[in-house]
């Protein structure tokens, strides 16, 4: 096969495969928390995130809003702090807790649709 024809075939194949790969990994649905729970429910359990700081010495944020995505396997990824109160306090505890969470697809989510949502966590207040 002539080199030019071989290059054209390789480029055509690469483009076709990239389109298939893009179709296989759709962007997660952007959902408010209440609607997100209709797709994925948190697996019950106690989460003990690693804390690299001592809450007795470092002020912890009392309320933290975290954005997260859930993939087809029920695992969180792309976890980020959206807001913390107070903003200067340590919010890593919430980030680590959401990273540790696992989810199970609901009966209505048979396709295991990936989602993106937010949740608000509170430190030690029992609220």
């Amino acid at each position: 096969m002539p080199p030019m024809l071989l290059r054209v075939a390789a480029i055509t194949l690469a483009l076709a495969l990239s389109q298939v790969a893009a179709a296989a990994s759709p962007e997660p649905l952007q959902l408010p928390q209440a609607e997100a729970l209709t797709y994925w429910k948190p697996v019950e359990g106690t989460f003990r995130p690693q804390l690299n700081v001592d809450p007795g010495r470092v002020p912890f944020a009392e309320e933290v809003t975290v954005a997260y995505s859930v993939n087809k396997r029920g695992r969180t990824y792309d976890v980020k702090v959206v807001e913390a109160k107070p903003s200067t306090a340590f919010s890593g505890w919430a980030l680590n807790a959401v990273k540790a969470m696992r989810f199970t697809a609901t009966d209505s989510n048979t396709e295991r649709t990936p989602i993106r949502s937010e949740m608000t966590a509170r430190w030690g207040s029992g609220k």
Side-chain angles (χ1 to χ4, degrees):
M1 189 180 276
M4 182 61 161
L5 187 57
L6 188 58
R7 276 183 250 172
V8 170
I11 291 171
T12 303
L13 180 61
L15 287 172
L17 289 176
S18 68
Q19 290 172 351
V20 168
S25 58
E27 288 295 313
L29 292 177
Q30 299 281 330
L31 301 173
Q33 183 62 30
E35 194 174 342
L37 293 173
T38 66
Y39 284 80
W40 295 93
K41 60 183 178 181
V43 172
E44 289 189 31
T46 302
F47 299 103
R48 293 191 174 95
Q50 295 283 40
L51 297 177
N52 298 331
V53 295
D54 178 2
R57 293 183 181 186
V58 175
F60 274 36
E62 295 172 10
E63 185 176 284
V64 182
T65 301
V66 178
Y68 65 97
S69 296
V70 177
N71 66 19
K72 286 184 167 280
R73 295 180 52 216
R75 299 191 179 267
T76 56
Y77 69 98
D78 194 19
V79 181
K80 297 180 178 166
V81 172
V82 175
E83 181 181 27
K85 295 177 185 174
S87 61
T88 56
F90 177 70
S91 59
W93 63 268
L95 196 69
N96 291 338
V98 174
K99 285 179 181 178
M101 290 179 76
R102 299 296 177 254
F103 291 81
T104 302
T106 61
D107 293 339
S108 62
N109 187 13
T110 57
E111 301 264 331
R112 303 180 69 77
T113 303
I115 60 140
R116 178 129 185 104
S117 191
E118 292 182 359
M119 72 173 62
T120 300
R122 290 171 183 83
W123 177 265
S125 64
K127 294 179 187 175

